[in-house]
Amino acid sequence: MAEKTVEKLKKQIALLRILYKEQKQQLLRLEKKQQEVIRAVVRKSDAKKIAHITGNIQTL
Amino acid sequence: MTTTLEQEKAPIAEQEEAPETPEALQISYDAQKKACTIDLQRGSDGIKERSAQLATTTAIEPDEMNQLKNIYADAEKIPRVFEKRATGIEAGESSQETKEEEKSAMKLVADQFVKEARALLDEQFSKAEKNSPQNLDFHNAEHTNTVIDRTAKILTAMKNGGEDVTDEDIAIGKIVAAAHDLIQRSNVSEAMDKGAPLPEKRKRFIRANERASIDEGKKMLRTIEAFKILTPEKQEKVNKALEAIMVTVPDGWDGKTVVQNGLTKNSPPIERALALADLGDAGMDTDSYTEAGKRLFREENIDMLDVVNRFKKGETISEEDQKKYKDRMVEWSKAQVGFAKGRSGKFSQEIEGLSDDAKKNVTALFEKFRTSIEEAENIAGKREGMHFANLLFDMGYLTEEERLVAPAEKIAA
């Protein structure tokens, strides 16, 4: 009986590890996607600043 | 400094093996579950927080805002999904999700097995210094890697052509390919073990090596953690699949090329894919075929190593020896033409038994026969006119630098 319980728990632990790895991968994918959005926003924000500065120089 | 999720250590990786009593395992399970839950929750919170911050910036466009909302919602779900599915695992539910975990387990077994097999091959056959008889220039981790990739590609082509091949079979195919050359004994390793003089040519112990590789593969599987959670039926399926390695025994020769007599029109998919992949260079990749030809020559012609090492030390190699070894390298290069032609001629027979669509798909992977034959003809022609040092360089024995420092009379044609 104890042997069966041990087997069951070992399988449970192994399945938990696989489940965790899978969900962690999902998080990593989401983080990567988020980084892409951040980079796009930062690029645009820099472009706006540059345009603003260029505009100021031209009015001088 | 902010760390990304990737940089963080996984909490379960640090867990030590618990003693195998129900109580200790239950404690270990609970602790691991808690650590995983906290880790996933923290990761999810970080993503949500960054999304919320970014949403307040003025530069954000509606499209990007939508993307952020989706990322936020998906991140929020992850700890909940983990909790729900972990509860399912605890209840021993054979739910769709649990089946998914088991399906992932086979992929995990394949990934871990491939890693272990590579490490073993590197340790055994690539560790010694260059031009050492201990090394195997061809039957090493690189060849195995190529066979793994090709086996997977061929099985996928069969699957897409309507053959009875599942994703699980593809994962098993990778395991079998990773194991196919694990053991490489020969008259050379035997002589080295006994401290006896080395033979002129390496003769691998064909059939015994394949048998031993199957046994080693089965042994290695038992050490893979994910293998232990497969059902006994699945474990048996993988063990049985390893027997496919016997099909790679090159037990025939038709005068031009190797024949794998075990490959028939009734061969199961994994067996057929492995056999085709193992001898796939000429049909699948001309550069690889050219390189493999040189490597196999170096691996087999053990007596050449002494000549090469003497040459590198600046010793003079007699005209007679130069001619003897040059003739051998040129003959080998010419035989490469015949080998590719032979492979090309055998191909249609080797895919006999597949459906028309599968044949079409697999044939599309083997479209390089003509270029491999032309390239082999071209190389053999060039080598015939080469001086000894240049030929050694062309066969991969010398580096460019070593060739350049060779005395002029050894290079001049």
Side-chain angles (χ1 to χ4, degrees):
Chain A
M1 187 62 195
E3 205 176 302
K4 269 196 169 176
T5 316
V6 164
E7 281 313 303
K8 187 180 159 260
L9 281 163
K10 276 161 80 176
K11 186 171 176 175
Q12 207 171 295
I13 289 172
L15 286 171
L16 184 86
R17 289 180 182 205
I18 294 168
L19 172 62
Y20 166 76
K21 279 184 189 168
E22 210 182 275
Q23 295 305 307
K24 184 83 175 177
Q25 282 302 320
Q26 292 274 30
L27 272 181
L28 289 170
R29 275 194 283 273
L30 286 177
E31 193 186 46
K32 218 171 158 189
K33 261 193 196 172
Q34 191 182 48
Q35 293 293 343
E36 280 166 24
V37 178
I38 293 173
R39 269 196 292 273
V41 173
V42 169
R43 262 199 309 272
K44 269 187 299 166
S45 156
D46 285 349
K48 270 188 183 173
K49 273 184 207 159
I50 291 165
H52 181 67
I53 294 164
T54 317
N56 283 348
I57 292 169
Q58 277 169 355
T59 53
L60 285 175
Chain B
M1 195 181 85
T2 53
T3 57
T4 65
L5 292 174
E6 209 151 9
Q7 288 165 326
E8 288 171 11
K9 281 192 177 170
I12 54 167
E14 293 167 31
Q15 295 290 327
E16 283 178 15
E17 285 300 318
E20 294 186 355
T21 65
E23 296 74 22
L25 284 166
Q26 186 63 55
I27 291 169
S28 170
Y29 175 82
D30 292 342
Q32 292 191 48
K33 186 181 167 191
K34 193 176 170 194
C36 292
T37 308
I38 292 171
D39 184 68
L40 292 172
Q41 188 64 56
R42 205 180 51 193
S44 162
D45 289 346
I47 290 176
K48 286 192 296 182
E49 200 179 314
R50 276 193 297 274
S51 291
Q53 274 173 3
L54 197 64
T56 60
T57 58
T58 48
I60 198 148
E61 307 271 348
D63 177 42
E64 289 158 350
M65 185 63 98
N66 275 338
Q67 284 185 50
L68 280 181
K69 277 184 187 167
N70 289 337
I71 291 169
Y72 188 101
D74 288 345
E76 194 162 41
K77 273 185 217 156
I78 285 173
R80 276 189 267 148
V81 168
F82 178 78
E83 178 59 37
K84 188 173 162 238
R85 282 169 62 180
T87 310
I89 289 171
E90 287 154 23
E93 278 173 17
S94 184
S95 62
Q96 187 54 38
E97 282 83 8
T98 311
K99 279 182 192 149
E100 283 301 314
E101 262 97 63
E102 285 184 356
K103 220 198 278 173
S104 307
M106 188 63 89
K107 281 188 191 160
L108 211 65
V109 175
D111 289 349
Q112 289 176 2
F113 190 91
V114 165
K115 212 168 138 192
E116 296 276 321
R118 267 197 67 120
L120 182 67
L121 289 165
D122 270 337
E123 173 72 25
Q124 291 188 107
F125 309 130
S126 301
K127 218 180 170 190
E129 61 186 33
K130 197 173 152 60
N131 294 331
S132 155
Q134 248 173 297
N135 282 345
L136 293 182
D137 276 19
F138 179 75
H139 289 94
N140 53 31
E142 208 176 321
H143 165 67
T144 289
N145 249 359
T146 311
V147 176
I148 296 168
D149 288 348
R150 287 181 186 159
T151 302
K153 274 187 191 156
I154 295 167
L155 282 169
T156 307
M158 288 181 187
K159 181 188 169 200
N160 296 339
E163 290 292 320
D164 187 14
V165 175
T166 61
D167 287 345
E168 186 177 276
D169 293 328
I170 297 172
I172 295 174
K174 287 184 180 177
I175 296 171
V176 176
H180 90 285
D181 273 341
L182 276 178
I183 302 295
Q184 292 294 318
R185 297 282 296 162
S186 67
N187 55 352
V188 174
S189 53
E190 198 174 57
M192 287 171 90
D193 287 349
K194 290 178 185 164
L198 295 183
E200 278 193 7
K201 289 209 175 192
R202 188 191 306 267
K203 285 198 170 39
R204 293 184 303 121
F205 297 154
I206 285 165
R207 197 173 286 278
N209 280 343
E210 282 76 8
R211 189 69 257 163
S213 295
I214 294 171
D215 294 341
E216 184 64 28
K218 288 181 182 174
K219 208 169 100 190
M220 198 182 264
L221 272 175
R222 292 197 292 271
T223 67
I224 306 279
E225 192 189 339
F227 185 71
K228 294 172 193 162
I229 63 156
L230 297 180
T231 59
E233 294 76 32
K234 297 267 160 132
Q235 290 184 345
E236 186 49 29
K237 192 178 173 184
V238 185
N239 275 318
K240 217 172 148 195
L242 281 170
E243 296 290 332
I245 290 173
M246 288 312 283
V247 81
T248 63
V249 173
D251 51 358
W253 180 259
D254 69 356
K256 278 183 180 173
T257 192
V258 164
V259 181
Q260 298 159 321
N261 286 317
L263 178 59
T264 69
K265 65 177 184 176
N266 298 320
S267 289
I270 293 177
E271 198 171 290
R272 189 192 300 270
L274 178 67
L276 288 169
D278 197 24
L279 295 179
D281 283 320
M284 298 179 87
D285 186 341
T286 297
D287 287 347
S288 180
Y289 182 62
T290 305
E291 185 59 32
K294 297 193 271 188
R295 287 177 179 229
L296 203 51
F297 180 88
R298 299 201 301 267
E299 182 175 303
E300 287 187 2
N301 291 271
I302 289 297
D303 56 342
M304 284 280 303
L305 297 178
D306 179 50
V307 177
V308 171
N309 288 332
R310 277 168 44 214
F311 184 88
K312 280 160 73 171
K313 279 185 210 159
E315 290 179 27
T316 304
I317 311 296
S318 70
E319 288 289 325
E320 195 187 338
D321 271 355
Q322 286 195 32
K323 185 178 178 320
K324 174 182 153 188
Y325 293 115
K326 182 181 164 178
D327 286 351
R328 201 193 285 176
M329 287 187 270
V330 170
E331 278 316 304
W332 175 275
S333 305
K334 286 180 183 168
Q336 286 296 100
V337 180
F339 192 93
K341 282 182 180 168
R343 286 277 92 229
S344 171
K346 281 252 163 290
F347 182 67
S348 58
Q349 192 187 322
E350 288 172 343
I351 57 169
E352 202 51 58
L354 291 178
S355 69
D356 286 349
D357 283 347
K359 270 184 190 167
K360 205 173 120 194
N361 289 350
V362 176
T363 305
L365 295 174
F366 283 78
E367 52 172 15
K368 302 282 192 230
F369 285 119
R370 184 188 284 272
T371 51
S372 294
I373 294 166
E374 285 170 3
E375 183 67 0
E377 282 170 344
N378 182 23
I379 290 171
K382 273 189 197 161
R383 285 184 184 154
E384 212 163 4
M386 278 181 192
H387 195 273
F388 190 59
N390 289 334
L391 194 47
L392 287 184
F393 169 73
D394 207 44
M395 292 296 285
Y397 282 112
L398 303 180
T399 62
E400 177 71 45
E401 201 182 326
E402 286 164 340
R403 175 174 68 147
L404 291 174
V405 298
E409 71 271 16
K410 288 182 183 170
I411 298 174

